[in-house]
Amino acid sequence: MYVASSYLIEHNNNPKRYIDELFHYGVYVKLMNFEEEVRAHRDLDDFLARASIILDETAPALNNVLKRMLHHVGQDSHTAEPGCHFEEVMSMLFTDAGAQEINAHLVSETIQGVTATATGVQYQQSWLCILCNVKSLQRRHVCISRLERPQNWGENCCEVRYVILILAPLKMKSTKTAMELGRTFGTLFSDISFRQKLLETKTQEEFKEALVFQRHQLTAANQQPAAVEEEEEEEEETDPHSHKPLKWKDFFRPGRGIYEDLCRRLPLYSSDFTDGVVGSNKTVLKYMTTAIFLYIAILLPAIAFGSLNDERTRGEIDVRKTIIGQSIGGLIYSLFAGSPLVIPLTTAPLAIFISVIRGLCDDYDLDFPAFYACIGLWNSLFLILGGIFNVSLLMKLFKRSTEEVIALFISIAFVVDALKGTIKNHSDDYIPHRQVR
């Protein structure tokens, strides 16, 4: 992720170019490291002491938004600038497009978030940071305006919701320039989840608290003591998502994976059942709609595969038994899993497996229900042993191709069964016409 600082160049031949052309003439700088650059902390803390925040600005045009922000800064008693006329600053924010007969102005200097991908450069279009160096200023000023609704100010500014105006004296230290201050706020606003939190704030105090919290988050993300890092490295040894290679000793720590899962889940066990029903996250309607959707999503496969099992087991496992068994297993599993919305589905591989078991019972004259129950008990034993000895770590060795191969096998198996049924029905029902003499 980068932030782009753009300096507009005059276009004498085409004064009607949109404001987005200012982003085609820029240099890219990396996001600020809040751990190494202490100036970022001081910049944000200094801004919060003399904050100029405008919430739910209704002006649709960029000119009007900036006029409102400059007026707000000029009227603030904490930012008194006796030697500066903020009306004149407005003319410094824009540069003439080059045509005298057309009053067209473009922003002189801005910062905007960009992400370099294989297909090109993608702009973060929801925020825009505008810089200006003013000779008559005595100190730096920052004003943030949150627009009431997204505004379309050009191709790369189609949904601007935040405008950050930074004013700085012309002669400043290299660590205190408008560019460095813009990097600080550009780093903060480059996080989409942070921008969403700012949309939910109702007052200026909540807006400030969100800024402080984000600054602490960015700082704490890179500040980890050596002891904590060593502890995390030790925990990652059994983490299936870590990129470290597997070692034999990972499988000879009985119960370690189960213990770590319990440590992670027990503090959140009760909230898994109460979230969405009580507390600040109360969304009963969403909770009910999700439950109804999952009920339908689980019931339909149960009916489909239950019918298939009924046909292949000759009534030993029918639709009714499939639904009852799936309901009992789902309730028990959801209680132990700590989540009432766990989805236990009857899958295609299980249907094929049941068909194979039925065939073995027919070949060796075995009691199908007893044999099926024994297989379930043995599978339970293997799963328990796998959990104790961390066998699930082997999943990190499997790639997406493994899943695709299994899906291909299931598809081929069902297609072959369908073809067999079609051929059998055709052979049973087709009677060739006899020639009549």
Side-chain angles (χ1 to χ4, degrees):
M1 178 70 70
Y2 297 85
V3 288
S5 172
S6 304
Y7 301 85
L8 188 64
I9 298 178
E10 291 186 357
H11 302 283
N12 296 324
N13 297 328
N14 192 351
K16 294 184 178 180
R17 288 180 181 266
Y18 289 99
I19 190 175
D20 60 279
E21 288 208 354
L22 60 92
F23 303 117
H24 294 174
Y25 302 92
V27 293
Y28 300 95
V29 292
K30 290 185 177 180
L31 296 178
M32 179 167 289
N33 188 330
F34 274 75
E35 177 190 7
E36 299 177 354
E37 304 187 44
V38 184
R39 173 56 56 186
H41 306 170
R42 298 178 180 177
D43 286 340
L44 188 54
D45 294 339
D46 182 64
F47 159 72
L48 293 176
R50 301 178 284 104
S52 296
I53 299 175
I54 302 176
L55 300 181
D56 299 329
E57 174 61 44
T58 58
L62 179 59
N63 290 26
N64 297 333
V65 173
L66 293 177
K67 288 180 181 178
R68 176 85 170 91
M69 298 174 72
L70 289 174
H71 179 74
H72 191 273
V73 173
Q75 295 297 325
D76 194 346
S77 59
H78 298 286
T79 60
E81 290 282 356
C84 178
H85 298 283
F86 286 97
E87 293 78 7
E88 299 179 358
V89 177
M90 187 68 186
S91 61
M92 303 177 63
L93 294 175
F94 292 85
T95 180
D96 193 352
Q100 298 180 356
E101 65 277 6
I102 299 178
N103 186 16
H105 294 274
L106 298 175
V107 182
S108 300
E109 186 176 351
T110 66
I111 288 180
Q112 190 178 13
V114 297
T115 304
T117 62
T119 58
V121 176
Q122 297 179 353
Y123 288 81
Q124 291 184 352
Q125 305 189 32
S126 61
W127 64 275
L128 184 64
C129 181
I130 300 176
L131 314 177
C132 185
N133 295 300
V134 184
K135 183 178 181 180
S136 57
L137 287 179
Q138 298 180 359
R139 64 175 66 91
R140 296 174 299 169
H141 302 277
V142 178
C143 182
I144 298 179
S145 179
R146 187 185 69 185
L147 307 183
E148 184 179 20
R149 57 179 57 87
Q151 299 297 333
N152 186 356
W153 292 336
E155 181 181 353
N156 294 323
C157 295
C158 295
E159 48 184 17
V160 178
R161 196 66 185 269
Y162 301 97
V163 179
I164 309 166
L165 176 62
I166 296 178
L167 306 176
L170 188 59
K171 294 182 179 180
M172 294 290 292
K173 294 181 179 179
S174 59
T175 58
K176 296 183 179 181
T177 61
M179 173 65 67
E180 289 300 314
L181 186 56
R183 283 184 62 202
T184 300
F185 288 94
T187 302
L188 290 174
F189 279 82
S190 63
D191 187 353
I192 187 173
S193 60
F194 170 65
R195 299 197 299 270
Q196 181 62 33
K197 292 179 181 178
L198 293 181
L199 285 178
E200 300 172 356
T201 58
K202 304 298 182 182
T203 63
Q204 293 186 5
E205 294 301 325
E206 293 181 1
F207 200 95
K208 297 177 187 178
E209 292 176 0
L211 286 170
V212 174
F213 180 77
Q214 180 69 3
R215 196 269 282 178
H216 287 299
Q217 287 288 100
L218 292 175
T219 304
N222 295 318
Q223 290 181 344
Q224 295 181 344
V228 176
E229 292 181 356
E230 292 178 359
E231 182 179 354
E232 290 183 352
E233 290 178 358
E234 183 178 356
E235 292 179 354
E236 285 183 353
E237 290 181 357
T238 57
D239 183 8
H241 299 289
S242 64
H243 299 287
K244 294 183 178 181
L246 287 177
K247 300 179 181 179
W248 285 108
K249 64 179 182 179
D250 296 336
F251 300 97
F252 293 98
R253 295 179 178 180
R256 181 179 179 86
I258 298 176
Y259 172 76
E260 292 177 353
D261 288 341
L262 291 175
C263 291
R264 285 191 294 263
R265 293 304 310 155
L266 285 180
L268 305 175
Y269 183 85
S270 59
S271 64
D272 286 337
F273 292 89
T274 58
D275 285 349
V277 181
V278 296
S280 58
N281 297 323
K282 184 178 180 181
T283 54
V284 179
L285 179 60
K286 184 180 293 186
Y287 193 90
M288 294 302 298
T289 54
T290 304
I292 295 173
F293 169 77
L294 290 179
Y295 173 77
I296 298 174
I298 295 174
L299 183 62
L300 293 179
I303 295 175
F305 290 113
S307 301
L308 183 62
N309 293 334
D310 187 14
E311 177 185 351
R312 293 184 174 181
T313 62
R314 294 187 291 278
E316 295 286 352
I317 300 178
D318 55 10
V319 177
R320 182 174 60 87
K321 293 179 182 179
T322 301
I323 295 177
I324 293 175
Q326 188 165 291
S327 300
I328 297 174
L331 288 173
I332 297 175
Y333 182 78
S334 63
L335 289 175
F336 281 96
S339 176
L341 296 181
V342 174
I343 307 175
L345 284 174
T346 302
T347 59
L350 183 59
I352 297 176
F353 184 64
I354 292 175
S355 177
V356 173
I357 295 175
R358 178 74 254 191
L360 291 175
C361 292
D362 293 339
D363 293 339
Y364 295 97
D365 194 18
L366 300 175
D367 185 12
F368 174 75
F371 189 63
Y372 188 72
C374 291
I375 291 176
L377 293 175
W378 275 104
N379 285 336
S380 300
L381 176 62
F382 291 144
L383 289 174
I384 293 173
L385 293 177
I388 293 176
F389 292 101
N390 307 317
V391 180
S392 60
L393 292 176
L394 292 174
M395 290 303 299
K396 69 182 300 182
L397 301 178
F398 293 93
K399 306 300 181 181
R400 185 175 178 179
S401 59
T402 306
E403 180 182 356
E404 298 296 335
V405 169
I406 296 175
L408 178 63
F409 163 73
I410 295 172
S411 301
I412 294 175
F414 277 103
V415 170
V416 170
D417 287 344
L419 292 176
K420 287 181 179 179
T422 303
I423 295 173
K424 182 177 182 300
N425 291 335
H426 182 271
S427 301
D428 295 340
D429 299 335
Y430 177 73
I431 302 177
H433 296 284
R434 298 180 178 178
Q435 296 180 357
V436 180
R437 295 183 180 179

